[in-house]
C-alpha cells in the first residue's frame, strides 16, 4: 500500500495561457450551443435535398441575355467598389495610427454590406451607386486595417537610415515598396470576396447574379440555381487567370461604361433620410418625454433578444467552426494526404470558402427549416474551410522526424500541438467576421439582430433600424477588440493575407 | 470582329437598360408571389400601358414590399400595384399621391389560414369561428409588410388569442411571399400559415396543392386590399390630367389575358379613403405609428 | 547659426539639410563626445563608462570582437550628430523591390520637395540620375542602376548601401562594417571612395590592416570597455591582433 501510494498517478494538467483561452472559448461555445435553437424543423428534408441534388446534376440556363447581364453587373459592381474601397482604404491606412481612425474603420466594417445596401436603397434607390457604396464602405474599413497593419509590420530599417526627410517621401520610398507585395496579394484575395459580396447584394434587389439565384432557390427552380451557382464558382476559380494587372484599367473602364455610377434621386431624399427618417420617433414628434419609454420598449422587444441571439449564434458558430477546421485541415496537409487526394481535399475546402455563408444559410433554411441550425452550419462550413485551408497550408512548414508516428497519433501528438498556436490565431482573426455574419443572417429569419433590422426597414422605421445597426456595429467592434487583445497577450501573430 | 460587334451591342444595350431608365414612365408591383410570374405578368401590363398612354413604360422588378414603397417614395417609379398596407405606407410618405384603382375582388379581400395535416386541425370545421386550437403551434406569415399575409392575420390572432403572435405560437416565421407560405405549410415546416386567398386559389387551380396535406381552416372577414397608387406629381411631369388618364386606362382593361395575370375579374375605382380601415388596423397592432 | 563654434557638441545644430550644402567644420573642433556614459541596446547595458571625443577631421576606426559594442557606439554617435552624418549601417536596410538608382537616391530625399521625390519615383530626373550614375561608376554599379536590389549579390548590395550613404553628402561618415561583404581589392577601393568624400569618419572594421591603412586613430573595444585609444601611427597590426585574443 505504501509503495503504491509512492507511485501514485499524479499527473496534473497544467493549463498554459493558450489552452486556457481555448478552454474558455470552448466553454462559452458549448453553453451557446445548449441555448441555441437547433432542431431540424422540416419533417422531410430528404425530399427537398433530392430535388436540389437533381438540380445540381442538370443545371439549366434560363435566359441567356438576363444571365449575361447579371454576370456583367456582378463584375461591374465588384470592380467599381474595389477601386473605390482600395482608394479610401489606402488613404485611411496612412493615418491608421490614430485611435479615432482605427475606431472609425472598425465601425464602418462592423456594418455588413447588406445593411449598407439597405441604407443606401433608401437614399438612392436601385441605382449603381447604391451597390458600389454598399460594397465599398465596409471593404474600405477592412482594407484600411490590413494596409495599416502591413505598414506597421514592414522593416523599420530602411526608413531609419534616411536623413530627416518629409513623411510622404519616406513613405513612398520605403514603407510602401516594402509592403507592396503583401498589399497586392491581399487585394486580389479581397477582390474574390468582393465578387461574392456583389452576388449577395442581389438578395436585396440589385441586379446581380444573386437576384436570380435568390428567386430560383426560393421557388425551388434548382436547375437554374445550380447554373448560377456554377457560374459563380467558375468565376472565382478562374480569377487568377483573368485578373491580370495589365488588364485592370480595361476592366475598370468597362465596369464604368456598363454601370455608370449615376444617382437619379434628388439630394433632398438623402438629406431627409439622415436628418428626419433616422431621428428617433419621439424626438421627431417633439415628445422628448417619451424617448425613454421608446428606448426601453425597443430594448425589451428587439435589441436585447437580437443581441443575445447574435451572441449565441456567433459563439456557437465559432466553436463549430473550430471543430470543423480541426477535422478538415488534414485534407490540405502533406502529412496526411498526398498528391491527387490532397488536391481533391483542398478543392473541397476552396469550394466551401467560395460559397457565401448567406447563400449556404439560405439553402439550409429551405432544407432544414427555420431554426438556428442552418445558420450555424453555414457559418461553420464557410469559415471552417477557410481556417482549415490555411492551417493545412501552414503545416507544410513543419518538418517531422523520419520515424514519426502515423495517422491519428501523428495528428494528436505531432501536428496538432505545433499547429495549435497558428490555428487559434486564425480563429480569433475570423471571430469578428463570424459575429458580423451572425447578425446579418437574421435577415433570412433567424432571430439575430439582422431580423429586427430587416423588419425595421420593412416597416419604414429607420430610426429603429439605425439604432439596431449601430448596436450590431458596436458588437463587432467589441469582438474585434477582444480578439486583438487576446492575439497580443498570447503573442499570436499571423499574416492576415487571406483573412 | 463579329465578337467585337456583339460586345459593343451588348454594352450599349446594357448601359441603356440600367442607367437610363430615368427616362419614361415606370411602375412596379409588390413581389407577393413567384417572381418569374411577376415578370411575365407585368411585362404584358407594361406593353398595354405603353400602347394606351403613348409614353415609354418600364416595369421595375423589386425584391421586397419595402423596396416597392421606397422606389415609389424616391420617384423611381410613378405608379405601383401595392397591397393594402404597402399602399397606405407609400401614400403616407408621398404627399399628393393617391389610390386610383383596385381589383373588383379587392373591395372584399380575405386571408385564409391554412394548416398541415399533421397539426390535427384539418377536417374539424369551426365554421366562422376562429380556430383557437392553433395556439401553441408553429405559424408562418408571408412577407413582413403584407396585408393579407401579415397585417390582417396578425390582427385576428391578437384579437382572438389575446396575445402577440410570438407569444401565442411556438415559433413564428415570415416566409417572404404567399407561394412560399403554401410550400412551407404543405411540407410541414410550419403547422399553420396565413395566405392571400387569391394566390391560394390560383395555386389550387394550377394543381400545386395536395389538399390531403394542406387545407384551409379559417377565413378572415373581408377587407380592402390591393390597389394601383400613383404619385401626385405625374401631372407636372407627363402633362395635365395624366393621372386621370392612367386611371381610365386601368379601369378599361378588359383583356382576359391581362386580367388573368393579376388575377382579377376587372378593375374598379378606388380612393385613399377606401383604405382607412387598413391604416387603422396597422396602427392598432403597432405596424404604423399613429 | 549661433552655435557654429561647437557650443553644443551633444546636440549639434541642424545642418542646411534642404540645400544639402556640406558645412565645413573647423578642424579639431569636437563633434561628438562621451563623458562616462553607459550605452544600452534594447534596455541592456552594452558599453559602460564611455569616455572619448571625436574631433572634426579625424578618421577613427573602431575595432574589436563582434559583440564588443562597436555598433552600439556607432548608433550613439549617430544620435549625437543625427543630421550631419552619412550613415551606413551593418544591415544595409535597402528596399529590395526598388532599383539600385532609387535606393541610392534615397540618400537625397531630404534635399528635395515631396513632388520632386514622388515624380522621381515614377521616372528619374535627369540631374540626380547623372549624379548617382557618377557615384555608381566608381563603385562598379553603373550597369545595375535600374535593377531591383533584391536581384543583387550581397557585395553589390553593400556597395549600394555605401553609395546611398555617400549620396547623403554629409561631412561625417559613420560606417558599421561598410565593406564586410567585399573582397580585399574591392574593399580597398570602396574605402578610398569613402575617404575621398568625407573629412571626418568613424568606421567599425574587423580587418585590422584596413583600420591601420585608412584611419588615423584606433579605438579598441573589449566586452563593452574601451581598452585602446591611440593614434594609428603608434601601433602595429600585431598589437591590434591582441585585442582579438
Amino acid at each position: 500500500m505504501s509503495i503504491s501510494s509512492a507511485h501514485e498517478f499524479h499527473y496534473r494538467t497544467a493549463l498554459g495561457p493558450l489552452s486556457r483561452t481555448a478552454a474558455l472559448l470552448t466553454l462559452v461555445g458549448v453553453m451557446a450551443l445548449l441555448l441555441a435553437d437547433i432542431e431540424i424543423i422540416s419533417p422531410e428534408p430528404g425530399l427537398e435535398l433530392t430535388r436540389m441534388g437533381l438540380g445540381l446534376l442538370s443545371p439549366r440556363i434560363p435566359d441567356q441575355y438576363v444571365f449575361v447581364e447579371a454576370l456583367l453587373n456582378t463584375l461591374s459592381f465588384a470592380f467599381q467598389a474595389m477601386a473605390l474601397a482600395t482608394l479610401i482604404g489606402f488613404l485611411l491606412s496612412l493615418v491608421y495610427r490614430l485611435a479615432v481612425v482605427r475606431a472609425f474603420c472598425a465601425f464602418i466594417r462592423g456594418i455588413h454590406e447588406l445593411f449598407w445596401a439597405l441604407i443606401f436603397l433608401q437614399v438612392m434607390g436601385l441605382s449603381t451607386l447604391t451597390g458600389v457604396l454598399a460594397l465599398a464602405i465596409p471593404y474600405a474599413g477592412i482594407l484600411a486595417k490590413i494596409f495599416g497593419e502591413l505598414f506597421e509590420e514592414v522593416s523599420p530599417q530602411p526608413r531609419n537610415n534616411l536623413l530627416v526627410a518629409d513623411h510622404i517621401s519616406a513613405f513612398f520610398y520605403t514603407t510602401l515598396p516594402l509592403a507592396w507585395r503583401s498589399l497586392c496579394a491581399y487585394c486580389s484575395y479581397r477582390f474574390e470576396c468582393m465578387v461574392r459580396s456583389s452576388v449577395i447584394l442581389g438578395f436585396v434587389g440589385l441586379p446581380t447574379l444573386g437576384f436570380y439565384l435568390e428567386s430560383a432557390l426560393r421557388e425551388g427552380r434548382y436547375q437554374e440555381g445550380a447554373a448560377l451557382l456554377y457560374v459563380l464558382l467558375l468565376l472565382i476559380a478562374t480569377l487568377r487567370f483573368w485578373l491580370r494587372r495589365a488588364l485592370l484599367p480595361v476592366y475598370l473602364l468597362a465596369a464604368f461604361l456598363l454601370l455608370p455610377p449615376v444617382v437619379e434621386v434628388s439630394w433632398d431624399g438623402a438629406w431627409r433620410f439622415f436628418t428626419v427618417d433616422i431621428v428617433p420617433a419621439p424626438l421627431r414628434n417633439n415628445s422628448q418625454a417619451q424617448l425613454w419609454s421608446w428606448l426601453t420598449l425597443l430594448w425589451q422587444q428587439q435589441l436585447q433578444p437580437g443581441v443575445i441571439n447574435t451572441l449565441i449564434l456567433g459563439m456557437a458558430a465559432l466553436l463549430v467552426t473550430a471543430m470543423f477546421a480541426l477535422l478538415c485541415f488534414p485534407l490540405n496537409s502533406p502529412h496526411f494526404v498526398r498528391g491527387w487526394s490532397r488536391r481533391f481535399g483542398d478543392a473541397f475546402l476552396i469550394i466551401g470558402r467560395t460559397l457565401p455563408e448567406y447563400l449556404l444559410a439560405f439553402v439550409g433554411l429551405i432544407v432544414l427549416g427555420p431554426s438556428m441550425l442552418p445558420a450555424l452550419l453555414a457559418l461553420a462550413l464557410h469559415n471552417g474551410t477557410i481556417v482549415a485551408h490555411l492551417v493545412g497550408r501552414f503545416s507544410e512548414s513543419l518538418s517531422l522526424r523520419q520515424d514519426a508516428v502515423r495517422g491519428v497519433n501523428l495528428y494528436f501528438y505531432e501536428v496538432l500541438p505545433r499547429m495549435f498556436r497558428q490555428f487559434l490565431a486564425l480563429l480569433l482573426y475570423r471571430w469578428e467576421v463570424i459575429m458580423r455574419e451572425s447578425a446579418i443572417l437574421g435577415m433570412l429569419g433567424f432571430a439575430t439582430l439582422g431580423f429586427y433590422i430587416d423588419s425595421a426597414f420593412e416597416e419604414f422605421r429607420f430610426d429603429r433600424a439605425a439604432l439596431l445597426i449601430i448596436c450590431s456595429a458596436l458588437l463587432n467592434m467589441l469582438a474585434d477588440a477582444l480578439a486583438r487583445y487576446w492575439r497580443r497577450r498570447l503573442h499570436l501573430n499571423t499574416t492576415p493575407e487571406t483573412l | 470582329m463579329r465578337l467585337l460587334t456583339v460586345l459593343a451591342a451588348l454594352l450599349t444595350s446594357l448601359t441603356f437598360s440600367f442607367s437610363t431608365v430615368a427616362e419614361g414612365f415606370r411602375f412596379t408591383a409588390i413581389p407577393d408571389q413567384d417572381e418569374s410570374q411577376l415578370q411575365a405578368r407585368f411585362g404584358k401590363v407594361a406593353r398595354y400601358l405603353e400602347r394606351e398612354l403613348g409614353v415609354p413604360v418600364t416595369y421595375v422588378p423589386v425584391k421586397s414590399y419595402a423596396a416597392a414603397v421606397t422606389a415609389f417614395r424616391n420617384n423611381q417609379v410613378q405608379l405601383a400595384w401595392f397591397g393594402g398596407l404597402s399602399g397606405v405606407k407609400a401614400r403616407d410618405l408621398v404627399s399628393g399621391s393617391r389610390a386610383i384603382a383596385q381589383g373588383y375582388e379587392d373591395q372584399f379581400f380575405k386571408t385564409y389560414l391554412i394548416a398541415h395535416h399533421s397539426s390535427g386541425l384539418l377536417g374539424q370545421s369551426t365554421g366562422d369561428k376562429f380556430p383557437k386550437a392553433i395556439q401553441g403551434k408553429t405559424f408562418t406569415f408571408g412577407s413582413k409588410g403584407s396585408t393579407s399575409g401579415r397585417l390582417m392575420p396578425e390582427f385576428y390572432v391578437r384579437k382572438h388569442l389575446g396575445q402577440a403572435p410570438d407569444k401565442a405560437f411556438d415559433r413564428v416565421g415570415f416566409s417572404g411571399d404567399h407561394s412560399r407560405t403554401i410550400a412551407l405549410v404543405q411540407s410541414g415546416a410550419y403547422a399553420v400559415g396565413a395566405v392571400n386567398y387569391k394566390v391560394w386559389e390560383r395555386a389550387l387551380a394550377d394543381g400545386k396543392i395536395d389538399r390531403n396535406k394542406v387545407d384551409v381552416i379559417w377565413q378572415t372577414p373581408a377587407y380592402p386590399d390591393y390597389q394601383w397608387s400613383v404619385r401626385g406629381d405625374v401631372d407636372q411631369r407627363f402633362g395635365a390630367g395624366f393621372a386621370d388618364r392612367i386611371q381610365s386606362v386601368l379601369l378599361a382593361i378588359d383583356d382576359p389575358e391581362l386580367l388573368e395575370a393579376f388575377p382579377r375579374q376587372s378593375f374598379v375605382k378606388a380612393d385613399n379613403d377606401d383604405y382607412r380601415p387598413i391604416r387603422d388596423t396597422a396602427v392598432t397592432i403597432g405596424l404604423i405609428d399613429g | 547659426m549661433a552655435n557654429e563654434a561647437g557650443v553644443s557638441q551633444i546636440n549639434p545644430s541642424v545642418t542646411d539639410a534642404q540645400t544639402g550644402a556640406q558645412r565645413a567644420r573647423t578642424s579639431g573642433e569636437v563633434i561628438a563626445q562621451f563623458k562616462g556614459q553607459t550605452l544600452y541596446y534594447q534596455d541592456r547595458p552594452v558599453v559602460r563608462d564611455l569616455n572619448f571625443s571625436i574631433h572634426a577631421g579625424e578618421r577613427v576606426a573602431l575595432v574589436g570582437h563582434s559583440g564588443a559594442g562597436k555598433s552600439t557606439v556607432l548608433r550613439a554617435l549617430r544620435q549625437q550628430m543625427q543630421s550631419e552624418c552619412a550613415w551606413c549601417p551593418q544591415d544595409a536596410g535597402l528596399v529590395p523591390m526598388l532599383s539600385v538608382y532609387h535606393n541610392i537616391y534615397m540618400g537625397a530625399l531630404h534635399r528635395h520637395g515631396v513632388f520632386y521625390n514622388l515624380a522621381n519615383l515614377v521616372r528619374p530626373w535627369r540631374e540626380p540620375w547623372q549624379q548617382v550614375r557618377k557615384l555608381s561608376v566608381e563603385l562598379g554599379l553603373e550597369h545595375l542602376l535600374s535593377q531591383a536590389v533584391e536581384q543583387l549579390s550581397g557585395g553589390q548590395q553593400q556597395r549600394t548601401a555605401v553609395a546611398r550613404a555617400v549620396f547623403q553628402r554629409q561631412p561625417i561618415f559613420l560606417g558599421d562594417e561598410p565593406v564586410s561583404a567585399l573582397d580585399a581589392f574591392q574593399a580597398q577601393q570602396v574605402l578610398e571612395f569613402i575617404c575621398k568624400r568625407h573629412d571626418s569618419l568613424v568606421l567599425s572594421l574587423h580587418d585590422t590592416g584596413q583600420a591601420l591603412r585608412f584611419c588615423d586613430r584606433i579605438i579598441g573595444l573589449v566586452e563593452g570597455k574601451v581598452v585602446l585609444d591611440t593614434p594609428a601611427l603608434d601601433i602595429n597590426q600585431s598589437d591590434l591582433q591582441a585585442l582579438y585574443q
Side-chain angles (χ1 to χ4, degrees):
Chain A
M1 197 60 204
S2 64
I3 293 174
S4 78
S5 71
H7 293 271
E8 200 178 343
F9 183 73
H10 64 275
Y11 176 81
R12 277 197 287 169
T13 323
L15 284 180
L18 211 60
S19 343
R20 270 205 300 273
T21 309
L24 180 67
L25 286 174
T26 311
L27 190 71
V28 175
V30 169
M31 275 163 50
L33 267 180
L34 290 177
L35 290 171
D37 160 30
I38 45 171
E39 56 180 311
I40 296 178
I41 292 168
S42 177
E44 290 155 0
L47 195 72
E48 204 70 21
L49 267 179
T50 317
R51 292 190 51 217
M52 275 185 189
L54 288 176
L56 282 176
L57 291 177
S58 55
R60 192 168 56 81
I61 292 178
D63 174 344
Q64 286 172 16
Y65 180 81
V66 168
F67 198 72
V68 172
E69 184 182 12
L71 182 65
L72 292 177
N73 282 341
T74 305
L75 289 173
S76 297
F77 277 122
F79 272 113
Q80 290 188 33
M82 193 66 196
L84 189 63
T86 312
L87 185 71
I88 301 175
F90 178 74
L91 292 177
L92 285 172
S93 72
L94 298 181
V95 281
Y96 198 71
R97 281 165 286 122
L98 305 175
V100 57
V101 175
R102 280 205 302 277
F104 174 74
C105 292
F107 182 76
I108 58 175
R109 73 170 181 269
I111 298 174
H112 195 278
E113 48 266 26
L114 278 179
F115 290 154
W116 282 114
L118 288 178
I119 292 172
F120 287 119
L121 275 173
Q122 292 308 319
V123 179
M124 293 177 290
L126 280 170
S127 61
T128 309
L129 208 56
T130 296
V132 172
L133 287 180
L135 292 169
I137 290 179
Y139 275 72
I142 296 169
L143 291 173
K145 172 184 167 171
I146 301 293
F147 289 178
E149 285 178 0
L150 285 174
F151 292 152
E152 277 170 24
E153 277 166 21
V154 298
S155 156
Q157 289 292 351
R159 182 165 195 155
N160 290 345
N161 294 338
L162 299 180
L163 272 178
V164 268
D166 61 279
H167 285 302
I168 301 178
S169 298
F171 174 80
F172 279 97
Y173 273 82
T174 58
T175 313
L176 186 62
L178 287 169
W180 185 252
R181 274 188 205 144
S182 311
L183 222 78
C184 290
Y186 187 74
C187 279
S188 80
Y189 168 71
R190 264 296 144 189
F191 183 75
E192 182 189 321
C193 304
M194 186 66 101
V195 172
R196 283 201 294 267
S197 299
S198 176
V199 168
I200 290 302
L201 276 196
F203 278 60
V204 294
L206 288 150
T208 65
L209 284 174
F211 188 96
Y212 304 99
L213 194 54
E214 196 255 5
S215 19
L217 292 175
R218 184 155 45 80
E219 292 165 23
R221 288 179 280 121
Y222 295 126
Q223 292 180 316
E224 288 172 32
L228 291 159
L229 204 60
Y230 289 148
V231 168
L232 171 63
L233 287 176
L234 199 68
L235 205 62
I236 289 177
T238 58
L239 205 65
R240 61 199 162 109
F241 300 112
W242 54 266
L243 192 65
R244 292 294 160 114
R245 198 170 299 177
L247 290 174
L248 280 182
V250 182
Y251 289 141
L252 204 58
L253 187 71
F256 277 111
L257 286 177
L258 268 180
L259 293 179
V262 284
V263 194
E264 19 174 301
V265 173
S266 68
W267 291 104
D268 295 350
W271 180 249
R272 183 191 56 206
F273 182 79
F274 288 112
T275 56
V276 180
D277 291 357
I278 62 170
V279 175
L283 296 182
R284 212 185 313 148
N285 305 331
N286 279 322
S287 45
Q288 275 82 351
Q290 286 168 14
L291 183 63
W292 183 246
S293 62
W294 183 81
L295 281 173
T296 320
L297 209 64
L298 190 62
W299 167 256
Q300 285 170 352
Q301 293 183 343
Q302 308 198 341
L303 210 44
Q304 190 194 19
V307 168
I308 290 177
N309 282 322
T310 306
L311 280 173
I312 287 178
L313 179 58
M315 295 315 298
L318 188 68
L319 178 66
V320 183
T321 298
M323 295 297 152
F324 189 73
L326 287 179
L327 193 72
C328 288
F329 86 79
L331 288 177
N332 186 29
S333 169
H335 306 296
F336 298 96
V337 286
R338 280 167 204 283
W340 278 104
S341 37
R342 184 174 172 203
R343 269 181 227 175
F344 277 121
D346 196 32
F348 163 72
L349 297 180
I350 288 176
I351 289 175
R353 178 181 96 172
T354 306
L355 296 173
E357 51 270 70
Y358 196 79
L359 180 66
L360 289 170
F362 189 76
V363 174
L365 195 64
I366 295 172
V367 179
L368 303 170
S371 74
M372 249 185 215
L373 189 62
L376 190 64
L377 294 180
L379 286 170
L381 188 63
H382 179 77
N383 295 295
T385 47
I386 290 179
V387 176
H389 169 78
L390 291 173
V391 172
R393 214 175 57 187
F394 197 76
S395 72
E396 286 170 9
S397 61
L398 287 187
S399 52
L400 299 177
R401 54 181 209 279
Q402 289 286 311
D403 60 339
V405 286
R406 286 168 170 279
V408 179
N409 286 331
L410 175 71
Y411 182 90
F412 283 106
Y413 276 81
E414 299 279 353
V415 179
L416 186 58
R418 296 181 211 207
M419 299 305 303
F420 199 69
R421 175 172 287 273
Q422 188 67 19
F423 163 75
L424 205 60
L426 292 168
L427 198 65
L428 284 177
Y429 232 101
R430 210 60 209 167
W431 188 21
E432 181 195 356
V433 183
I434 292 179
M435 289 307 291
R436 219 164 77 102
E437 295 288 342
S438 300
I440 197 75
L441 288 178
M443 286 180 59
L444 295 174
F446 313 106
T448 62
L449 278 169
F451 176 81
Y452 298 102
I453 292 171
D454 182 55
S455 305
F457 275 105
E458 281 283 335
E459 292 167 17
F460 281 77
R461 285 171 164 152
F462 305 122
D463 47 351
R464 292 188 188 181
L467 202 67
L468 291 164
I469 286 180
I470 289 172
C471 286
S472 86
L474 291 177
L475 205 59
N476 280 317
M477 289 166 76
L478 192 72
D480 187 34
L482 207 57
R484 197 182 160 92
Y485 164 77
W486 261 330
R487 286 205 313 273
R488 286 256 162 95
R489 222 189 60 150
L490 303 175
H491 307 292
L492 302 173
N493 295 317
T494 176
T495 43
E497 275 181 26
T498 47
L499 280 163
Chain B
M1 198 57 219
R2 179 181 288 174
L3 184 72
L4 270 180
T5 327
V6 171
L7 270 178
L10 204 61
L11 265 168
T12 30
S13 63
L14 286 182
T15 311
F16 190 76
S17 69
F18 192 57
S19 64
T20 53
V21 277
E23 321 300 326
F25 183 75
R26 283 171 297 164
F27 74 100
T28 190
I30 50 168
D32 63 339
Q33 51 180 312
D34 294 349
E35 262 165 34
S36 39
Q37 289 182 30
L38 286 176
Q39 292 273 3
R41 277 158 68 187
F42 290 101
K44 279 181 219 155
V45 177
R47 284 193 292 279
Y48 168 79
L49 289 176
E50 189 163 287
R51 200 171 57 235
E52 297 295 317
L53 293 172
V55 291
V57 176
T58 323
Y59 161 63
V60 180
V62 292
K63 270 282 177 202
S64 68
Y65 285 43
V69 176
T70 304
F72 189 76
R73 182 192 197 190
N74 289 340
N75 201 10
Q76 290 194 312
V77 297
Q78 291 76 41
L79 175 73
W81 174 243
F82 283 128
L85 178 59
S86 43
V88 164
K89 279 186 195 159
R91 292 191 301 272
D92 271 0
L93 291 167
V94 181
S95 60
S97 57
R98 57 195 177 98
I100 49 174
Q102 58 182 185
Y104 174 79
E105 296 91 331
D106 290 307
Q107 303 170 82
F108 19 82
F109 213 76
K110 54 200 175 196
T111 296
Y112 285 159
L113 290 190
I114 56 174
H116 188 247
H117 67 90
S118 68
S119 69
L121 293 164
L122 296 190
Q124 311 173 354
S125 176
T126 51
D128 286 346
K129 275 180 63 187
F130 186 85
K132 292 200 173 176
I134 65 174
Q135 184 150 17
K137 308 275 184 200
T138 58
F139 187 95
T140 184
F141 291 110
S143 162
K144 285 172 185 166
S146 163
T147 311
S148 49
R150 163 84 187 275
L151 177 70
M152 298 316 291
E154 177 163 349
F155 175 76
Y156 286 108
V157 163
R158 282 172 186 266
K159 184 175 164 193
H160 293 288
L161 300 181
Q163 276 175 315
D166 54 345
K167 297 274 187 311
F169 299 114
D170 177 35
R171 186 192 292 279
V172 176
F174 293 91
S175 70
D177 70 43
H178 298 293
S179 312
R180 182 112 191 101
T181 303
I182 298 174
L184 283 173
V185 178
Q186 179 151 258
S187 78
Y190 285 98
V192 187
V195 67
N196 171 325
Y197 88 107
K198 273 282 174 190
V199 177
W200 170 268
E201 279 169 4
R202 173 191 275 256
L204 205 57
D206 291 350
K208 288 181 181 170
I209 293 172
D210 176 356
R211 292 182 71 171
N212 291 320
K213 281 191 169 171
V214 57
D215 209 348
V216 177
I217 53 169
W218 188 67
Q219 65 178 49
T220 63
Y223 54 85
D225 204 346
Y226 292 73
Q227 90 294 144
W228 288 101
S229 290
V230 69
R231 282 179 65 95
D233 51 11
V234 287
D235 287 0
Q236 279 171 18
R237 191 161 151 194
F238 296 94
F242 194 74
D244 293 337
R245 272 179 64 209
I246 300 171
Q247 186 177 39
S248 52
V249 163
L250 288 172
L251 295 179
I253 296 179
D254 55 3
D255 178 357
E257 202 191 347
L258 280 185
L259 288 170
E260 177 55 25
F262 284 88
R264 300 290 186 267
Q265 54 169 274
S266 65
F267 287 105
V268 298
K269 273 195 180 177
D271 61 44
N272 293 0
D273 283 342
D274 292 338
Y275 291 89
R276 190 153 301 256
I278 292 293
R279 193 170 195 291
D280 294 343
T281 311
V283 172
T284 313
I285 67 170
L287 279 178
I288 290 183
D289 297 319
Chain C
M1 293 263 167
N3 50 4
E4 179 73 359
V7 177
S8 67
Q9 298 91 341
I10 308 299
N11 272 326
S13 64
V14 176
T15 47
D16 296 343
Q18 290 305 318
T19 65
Q22 294 193 20
R23 196 162 48 104
R25 288 271 198 168
T26 324
S27 187
E29 177 194 342
V30 175
I31 50 176
Q33 192 171 41
F34 295 106
K35 291 176 180 167
Q37 273 145 301
T38 299
L39 304 180
Y40 294 84
Y41 179 64
Q42 292 176 349
D43 297 334
R44 200 159 40 82
V46 176
V47 181
R48 291 165 203 281
D49 198 19
L50 201 58
N51 265 307
F52 68 80
S53 320
I54 307 269
H55 304 269
E58 275 188 318
R59 304 181 162 210
V60 183
L62 292 175
V63 294
H65 273 299
S66 58
K70 291 172 298 188
S71 300
T72 308
V73 171
L74 275 168
R75 266 195 298 273
L77 281 171
R78 185 183 182 218
Q79 263 183 354
Q80 289 193 20
M81 323 190 270
Q82 188 76 51
S83 52
E84 42 184 342
C85 60
W87 172 246
C88 186
Q90 194 167 18
D91 47 3
L94 299 164
V95 180
M97 45 294 285
L98 287 187
S99 69
V100 170
Y101 165 73
H102 282 119
N103 271 283
I104 297 178
Y105 177 84
M106 256 178 244
L109 281 178
H110 61 285
R111 289 202 287 272
H112 300 286
V114 179
F115 291 107
Y116 189 91
N117 287 338
L118 294 191
N120 182 61
L121 200 52
V122 181
R123 192 185 148 79
W125 296 101
R126 179 187 289 272
E127 195 192 337
W129 174 269
Q130 280 170 347
Q131 291 165 347
V132 167
R133 194 180 150 72
K134 223 170 103 192
L135 286 185
S136 66
V137 169
E138 290 185 59
L139 291 168
L141 293 169
E142 76 273 17
H143 56 289
L144 299 171
L145 277 189
S146 36
Q147 268 197 39
V149 161
E150 60 198 345
Q151 296 167 343
L152 304 188
S153 72
Q156 288 166 333
Q157 293 194 3
Q158 194 164 42
R159 279 178 280 155
T160 306
V162 168
R164 181 187 62 194
V166 169
F167 201 48
Q168 291 181 334
R169 294 194 184 150
Q170 299 299 320
I172 306 157
F173 186 94
L174 297 183
D176 195 353
E177 303 280 8
V179 292
S180 56
L182 306 180
D183 61 52
F185 176 69
Q186 276 184 335
Q188 179 159 344
Q189 274 191 322
V190 170
L191 286 172
E192 276 168 10
F193 172 83
I194 294 171
C195 289
K196 200 165 70 188
R197 284 175 166 75
H198 300 85
D199 37 51
S200 317
L201 44 95
V202 182
L203 305 173
S204 78
L205 293 168
H206 65 265
D207 184 319
T208 51
Q210 288 169 355
L212 289 172
R213 196 167 334 128
F214 288 96
C215 298
D216 48 25
R217 178 179 171 190
I218 311 286
I219 295 178
L221 285 164
V222 171
E223 289 175 8
K225 281 238 158 53
V226 174
V227 296
L228 179 85
D229 185 352
T230 175
L233 292 172
D234 297 355
I235 197 169
N236 62 35
Q237 201 156 351
S238 55
D239 296 335
L240 277 184
Q241 293 294 347
L243 281 178
Y244 291 90
Q245 299 304 312

